[in-house]
Amino acid sequence: MPAEPKLTLSTDEVRASGLFTGRNIYNIPYFQRSYKWNRERTTQLEADVLKLVGGETDVHFLGAIITHQRARANAAQSHIIEVIDGQQRLTTIYLYILAAVRTLIDNDQIEEAKALFLNFLVDGLSTGGGSNLRLHTSHEDRSRLNMVVQEILDTKQFARQLIGFTFRRLATADAQDSNKGKAIKNNYASAKRFFKAQFKEGGAERVSAVYGAMLEHLTVVQIEVQDPTNGPKIFDSLNSRQQPMTAGDLIRNDIFARAADSDPSEVNRINEEEWLPFYRGFWVEDKNYFDEYFFPYGLIQNSKLTKSQVYKALRDSWQGKEPGEVIQELATYQSHFMDLAAGGNRAGHNAVVAERLSRFHAAGAPSSVYPFIMKLSAAISAGSMNEGSGLEILNVIDAFLTRRAICGIEPTGLHAVFKGLWKDCGAEVNASKVIQKIRGYRTVAWPSNEDVRIAVATRPLYGSAISKYVVREYDRSLGGDKHNTVAHLEHVLPQKPTTSWPFSKEQHAELHNVLGNLLPLSPSMNSSVGNEPYALKRSRYSSDSVFKSVRDFANKYPEWTPAEVKARSLVLADWAIERWPEYVSDKV
């Protein structure tokens, strides 16, 4: 039986599932400040959970929560646990599990929703007459949380399954104030959108995997204080911020530990001549990619590693090696990594290969694909991979990733595909095998031509990470100058148009962010054309733009109306399908 995933040896490190089961009721002090987590925090939590689901790591530690358990009047009562510190994390997990229940209900997974609701969200035992929710919020959030739970229970097909269950609401002293509980409302809505996207990605199985990861692989250390007045003292000590130690720090320390018995002058030589050139190779202007390198590098060595296992696995592989040997090994894929992470051609490829590889940086390819592409780039450099075959593979991966990004599919699941893809392809890695292996992952979507056509024509692509890359590639396809980047995207129909534009409010909302309404512009021109009428914009596009696609646009469209936006969107959709093929079979 595998060991329970933990980051500490403490018996007080518990999984989220252990918090919200048994006879536990977590009570936020009534006059505690309200729940405050913003979207940035929940987005990070979602990203951390998806790494768990994708196998990038096997546990995510949320830190310590400080609690005090009330004395029970009798053995029939539940454990009422006062939360001194941990309100934000506990409430967030609770809201996401509520959202998972709602998503399951909306997709006719009633029995699973029922089990999740009864096992983790409510308590069937006596709580002294209070609410039977497992989380009792502070007074400002109670009405809003009651509303969230009631919304779920108002679903008739679900309520019919809860035979014998009666919802006992959190007690509130006043009517719901719309200014109170906003974070509860907003983060529950965000959580529902998150699980809806997960269901779209992989159905109920995917939703189960995600909430399962939250319950079984998010952990905290629960510190229970004898006297609740001591809680703030412990809180202050725990939150004295220290600089975290990274895998890169551990690796550096290990390398120099190997020279611990050497003369100080030799240690200085290793540092100046070997370590620092390696370390400085990760800097680009004021950005340092050093710590981001070791996980993809470790996966090239062993595709089964999680992030937390990388340092130990590498250290074990360096038994008996001198510092210089270790640094030389580590540098094997450095240039190939940096070309992906920061752009450029440090690997020294010819112009064709370098251009093909540069697309992944331009498109903001997820780091989950790095191990495979780093190894492919190194194989092309070493001559062990035929250049033509390597270019075909790069085309396939570019098409796969770009199609997903155009359709708004998050890069979840890609880590599981790409970390071991090289090994999965067998003795001869080629494009046909890459297609076959990627399509073999049932829960990883490869969008069809129709999916891409609809997304290009209707999806608001402005603001997405892929939009500038797509616009750049379209400009290049027309024979324009080879611009490495697109600094700004221009809305032809402005975001805030004057009444001179022939668009209704509904048409503006529908069309202003679609690809057909976007053009690449230089920073200076983008700021000067602004909300000018179309006739003035068109004149500037035609005479001043450095982008061929913009000049061609001005010549082709004397007017800009809803019909023209839709027509151009369809033209771009057809182009995108041809530019990034579907590869419906394993034939290239």
Side-chain angles (χ1 to χ4, degrees), residues 406 454-464 467 509-515 518:
I406 287 172
I454 292 171
V456 172
T458 65
R459 183 170 175 259
L461 279 173
Y462 180 77
S464 65
S467 56
E510 175 190 359
L511 298 174
H512 80 286
N513 281 332
V514 299
L515 192 63
L518 303 179

Side-chain angles (χ1 to χ4, degrees), residues 11-88:
T11 57
D12 294 319
E13 183 180 353
V14 295
R15 296 172 292 177
S17 62
L19 297 173
F20 293 113
T21 52
R23 309 182 69 178
N24 296 338
I25 299 287
Y26 286 88
N27 186 70
I28 312 298
Y30 190 76
F31 287 109
Q32 177 70 279
R33 65 188 183 278
S34 62
Y35 172 66
K36 294 293 187 184
W37 259 27
N38 58 26
R39 183 58 184 144
E40 181 180 353
R41 299 294 297 273
T42 59
T43 298
Q44 183 59 56
L45 178 66
E46 291 172 5
D48 291 332
V49 170
L50 293 179
K51 288 179 181 178
L52 292 168
V53 175
E56 293 185 49
T57 185
D58 54 0
V59 63
H60 181 70
F61 183 56
L62 292 174
I65 64 171
I66 305 171
T67 62
H68 171 70
Q69 186 168 314
R70 292 183 197 166
R72 291 188 294 168
N74 59 68
Q77 286 188 338
S78 295
H79 303 291
I80 306 299
I81 302 171
E82 297 284 352
V83 178
I84 298 168
D85 178 55
Q87 171 193 187
Q88 306 297 321

Side-chain angles (χ1 to χ4, degrees), residues 444-459:
V444 176
W446 190 316
S448 67
N449 284 343
E450 188 60 22
D451 293 332
V452 175
R453 183 176 285 109
I454 292 171
V456 172
T458 65
R459 183 170 175 259

Side-chain angles (χ1 to χ4, degrees), residues 409-427:
I409 302 173
E410 295 295 322
T412 54
L414 296 185
H415 175 74
V417 176
F418 282 92
K419 66 179 182 178
L421 182 57
W422 191 276
K423 182 178 179 181
D424 292 342
C425 287

Side-chain angles (χ1 to χ4, degrees), residues 232-505:
K233 301 173 187 176
I234 298 172
F235 172 80
D236 289 342
S237 296
L238 289 173
N239 287 276
S240 297
R241 296 218 178 254
Q242 304 294 325
Q243 189 67 28
M245 181 165 282
T246 66
D249 294 326
L250 294 169
I251 286 168
R252 181 195 60 220
N253 292 347
D254 181 87
I255 287 172
F256 283 100
R258 295 167 187 272
D261 296 330
S262 300
D263 184 271
S265 62
E266 173 61 11
V267 176
N268 286 335
R269 186 200 65 77
I270 293 169
N271 183 55
E272 293 291 333
E273 297 180 11
E274 299 182 71
W275 174 258
L276 285 179
F278 170 69
Y279 177 73
R280 289 168 180 158
F282 291 101
W283 281 90
V284 177
E285 296 178 351
D286 59 348
K287 171 72 174 174
N288 184 0
Y289 296 89
F290 175 71
D291 286 314
E292 298 173 26
Y293 174 62
F294 296 102
F295 186 38
Y297 174 83
L299 288 173
I300 292 174
Q301 317 307 313
N302 180 353
S303 64
K304 296 182 179 180
L305 293 178
T306 63
K307 190 172 289 186
S308 62
Q309 296 169 335
V310 167
Y311 166 65
K312 183 179 184 301
L314 293 179
R315 182 194 65 192
D316 291 346
S317 73
W318 297 331
Q319 292 295 328
K321 293 184 178 179
E322 296 296 320
E325 293 179 277
V326 175
I327 295 169
Q328 189 174 4
E329 280 189 18
L330 285 172
T332 304
Y333 295 98
Q334 182 180 20
S335 62
H336 308 286
F337 166 80
M338 288 301 295
D339 288 347
L340 292 172
N345 185 22
R346 296 163 186 80
H349 290 294
N350 66 40
V352 175
V353 175
E355 189 280 327
R356 205 68 53 90
L357 281 163
S358 74
R359 296 174 181 177
F360 295 97
H361 173 67
S367 60
S368 49
V369 307
Y370 282 14
F372 180 84
I373 300 178
M374 287 162 61
K375 193 166 178 65
L376 178 63
S377 175
I380 295 172
S381 289
S384 58
M385 166 67 70
N386 174 272
E387 183 180 302
S389 181
L391 292 172
E392 288 180 347
I393 294 170
L394 292 172
N395 284 341
V396 167
I397 298 174
D398 179 32
F400 170 67
L401 295 176
T402 304
R403 279 175 169 254
R404 285 174 59 91
I406 287 172
C407 293
I409 302 173
E410 295 295 322
T412 54
L414 296 185
H415 175 74
V417 176
F418 282 92
K419 66 179 182 178
L421 182 57
W422 191 276
K423 182 178 179 181
D424 292 342
C425 287
E428 182 184 355
V429 182
N430 57 48
S432 294
K433 286 185 178 179
V434 168
I435 295 168
Q436 179 185 11
K437 295 300 179 182
I438 294 176
R439 286 196 173 278
Y441 282 83
R442 185 169 56 85
T443 59
V444 176
W446 190 316
S448 67
N449 284 343
E450 188 60 22
D451 293 332
V452 175
R453 183 176 285 109
I454 292 171
V456 172
T458 65
R459 183 170 175 259
L461 279 173
Y462 180 77
S464 65
I466 200 66
S467 56
K468 289 182 179 179
Y469 173 61
V470 173
V471 167
R472 187 198 80 167
E473 289 300 292
Y474 182 65
D475 191 82
R476 288 186 170 195
S477 75
L478 299 176
D481 293 337
K482 293 291 182 71
H483 300 280
N484 289 328
T485 60
V486 170
H488 291 282
L489 287 180
E490 152 80 347
H491 288 82
V492 182
L493 167 65
Q495 292 175 296
K496 295 181 179 180
T498 62
T499 55
S500 65
W501 291 83
F503 290 79
S504 67
K505 287 184 178 180

